Amino acid sequence: MEKSIVSKQVEQMPWSGIRVFFDLVLGMKDVISLGVGEPDFVTPWNIREAGIYSIESGYTSYTSNKGLLELRQELARYLYKKHGLEYDVEEEMLITVGVSEGFDLTLRAIIEPGDKVLIPRPCYVSYGPLVELQGGRAVYLDTKIDCGFKVTPKQLESAIDRRTKALLLNYPCNPTGASYKKKELEALYKIARKNGLIIISDEIYADLTYDFAHTPLATLSGAKERTVYLNGFSKAFAMTGWRIGYACGPKEIISAMTKIHQYTMMCVPIASQMAAIEALRRSDKSVLDMKKEYKRRRALVVSGLNEMGLSCHMPEGAFYVFPSIKKSGMSSVDFASKLLQEEKVAVVPGTAFSPMADDNIRISYASSLDNLKEAMARIGNFLKSR
Ligand code: PLP
């Protein structure tokens, strides 16, 4: 029997619905792309300069597997000052290649074959495939617009069985923008604790929470011991290309993650780590300025979509809206493909984030106000021409 070249598990893994769609965009001219999930801002200059200066100064080596001590210390100060979170720099912290690596390492560190991970959905595209790759089982909790795209305590409780190992939370959420207030988190956490679950908390959009203060899950009473807190620099600091993030959590889990990371990545590039130190020290104003601009755009896009009859709830954070396209009568893939062909606006079909989200599309407002105004006009034309 001939051996297959690629492992069955990887062969069965789906391609990301976002990438599949964006292959279509490549090569098209004059497209307004509201598809990809990254800031349209370049990294603030002081941070870029710190990266450049580190290279000029000859910092070109590996670092400690855990990340530069100076960066971990700065991060510990930052998390304490901002949220009152206390993490030990030696045992409870790991600098990762973005939240992407942090998430993958968490799964590799805690999941045994057959373990279930609960994932509220619609969700970021990598969660399910990476859980399955690790031999775990992704159990989706479908959230609906009537609950603001949030998972309810009742829904969580009824999904737990003896194989459930972890709950994954991502708030503010990609793609819905939904976030949780402290009280809502407490209700979910109580159930997670009662059932001995580990919580993987992807809070990469935390700094882009617009209408209330973001509460890190690990700040809830007792939660730190069972929470892996994932965050990074990609979104709030506009540093996607630097590939840097961090994981903080119980020392057993961080130690296990570090063990894997030492063999796979060894460390995050030193220039990115030096730039991150600067980001933590002196970028509060830049982060707030970008947030202010996203908030203006959010208002424009939400009201624009509602005016044209595409019902759109006000997202609490991140830089996405997830309007209903039900009134168009089209599937989300049809809607997105035709909008791209006819009006040259790229959005992502809801089904990239959940098979249950065929009545939605994801629009990223990480694009200039002018672009967004033009895109709204084009979407309006598109609907009128039906
Ligand atoms: N988590 C969520 C919810 C995201 O939306 C993204 C990127 O879009 C990531 C993680 C990956 O972030 P990073 O650039 O830190 O790897």
Side-chain angles (χ1 to χ4, degrees):
M1 199 174 75
E2 204 167 315
K3 283 185 190 155
S4 65
I5 296 171
V6 175
S7 85
K8 277 210 178 61
Q9 218 169 3
V10 177
E11 216 156 51
Q12 282 162 8
M13 194 161 140
W15 283 98
S16 151
I18 301 184
R19 286 285 148 229
V20 171
F21 199 75
F22 275 84
D23 286 347
L24 290 173
V25 178
L26 289 175
M28 282 180 78
K29 275 200 179 140
D30 303 325
V31 173
I32 299 180
S33 180
L34 308 181
V36 284
E38 69 177 326
D40 55 316
F41 299 106
V42 289
T43 308
W45 171 243
N46 62 314
I47 303 175
R48 279 185 277 156
E49 199 175 31
I52 295 165
Y53 186 65
S54 78
I55 295 168
E56 274 183 0
S57 313
Y59 288 101
T60 55
S61 61
Y62 294 130
T63 70
S64 152
N65 295 133
K66 296 173 189 173
L68 287 169
L69 178 61
E70 199 183 349
L71 172 56
R72 282 178 283 135
Q73 285 168 335
E74 197 59 49
L75 184 57
R77 272 195 286 274
Y78 177 85
L79 293 176
Y80 182 69
K81 194 169 145 212
K82 199 163 171 147
H83 301 298
L85 269 172
E86 280 182 83
Y87 284 108
D88 182 274
V89 296
E90 288 303 334
E91 297 195 306
E92 298 178 321
M93 221 179 235
L94 174 65
I95 305 300
T96 58
V97 181
V99 167
S100 303
E101 194 210 0
F103 177 64
D104 187 40
L105 288 178
T106 311
L107 296 174
R108 295 208 220 185
I110 67 170
I111 298 299
E112 300 275 5
D115 281 349
K116 292 181 180 173
V117 179
L118 304 180
I119 309 177
R121 184 169 74 173
C123 63
Y124 180 48
V125 291
S126 78
Y127 296 152
L130 288 180
V131 168
E132 306 277 341
L133 187 65
Q134 182 53 33
R137 284 164 64 191
V139 177
Y140 294 103
L141 308 176
D142 289 308
T143 64
K144 307 233 162 57
I145 179 64
D146 349 339
C147 294
F149 291 117
K150 297 184 204 190
V151 68
T152 63
K154 198 165 147 211
Q155 197 181 10
L156 171 60
E157 187 132 43
S158 62
I160 298 172
D161 66 22
R162 59 178 190 81
R163 285 314 308 261
T164 311
K165 178 81 185 258
L167 164 67
L168 168 63
L169 284 181
N170 165 226
Y171 65 101
C173 168
N174 174 8
T176 65
S179 196
Y180 296 86
K181 291 188 178 148
K182 190 170 179 194
K183 278 230 147 40
E184 295 169 317
L185 290 170
E186 278 169 345
L188 297 176
Y189 169 65
K190 213 165 119 190
I191 296 163
R193 188 188 54 197
K194 190 172 89 186
N195 290 281
L197 305 189
I198 292 168
I199 303 162
I200 308 170
S201 198
D202 176 349
E203 300 179 30
I204 191 162
Y205 295 101
D207 286 333
L208 302 176
T209 304
Y210 302 109
D211 305 318
F212 51 86
H214 176 86
T215 304
L217 196 96
T219 59
L220 303 184
S221 168
K224 210 182 122 190
E225 286 116 73
R226 56 178 66 256
T227 302
V228 180
Y229 170 60
L230 302 175
N231 207 334
F233 297 82
S234 288
K235 313 289 174 170
F237 296 96
M239 291 178 70
T240 47
W242 299 77
R243 308 309 304 126
I244 181 162
Y246 49 91
C248 303
K251 65 178 185 209
E252 299 77 13
I253 301 181
I254 295 297
S255 163
M257 290 166 69
T258 308
K259 207 194 280 189
I260 306 163
H261 172 87
Q262 68 173 346
Y263 291 126
T264 52
M265 296 299 153
M266 306 223 303
C267 66
V268 169
I270 190 167
S272 299
Q273 295 194 53
M274 302 286 266
I277 294 172
E278 173 65 20
L280 294 173
R281 279 188 187 151
R282 275 176 287 273
S283 307
D284 287 2
K285 181 164 183 316
S286 308
V287 171
L288 283 178
D289 286 349
M290 288 189 270
K291 177 175 163 180
K292 222 193 264 169
E293 186 57 26
Y294 289 132
K295 197 172 171 186
R296 283 175 67 197
R297 297 167 179 184
R298 178 183 71 150
L300 176 109
V301 172
V302 170
S303 63
L305 291 168
N306 280 315
E307 271 161 31
M308 59 181 94
L310 296 183
S311 149
C312 181
H313 93 298
M314 181 64 82
E316 289 143 326
F319 39 59
Y320 310 105
V321 290
F322 204 60
S324 167
I325 50 150
K326 198 163 179 180
K327 103 166 204 179
S328 73
M330 283 180 256
S331 73
S332 62
V333 169
D334 252 14
F335 187 100
S337 311
K338 289 190 175 131
L339 180 64
L340 180 61
Q341 279 151 17
E342 293 172 25
E343 294 290 340
K344 301 205 169 156
V345 176
V347 298
V348 184
T351 47
F353 310 98
S354 166
M356 313 292 281
D358 204 18
D359 284 341
N360 297 82
I361 52 168
R362 188 192 76 175
I363 295 177
S364 161
Y365 51 90
S367 190
S368 71
L369 270 180
D370 284 348
N371 269 349
L372 291 169
K373 280 181 194 155
E374 175 61 23
M376 288 300 114
R378 291 188 192 181
I379 296 173
N381 278 342
F382 176 71
L383 291 172
K384 271 190 217 129
S385 67
R386 302 284 110 194

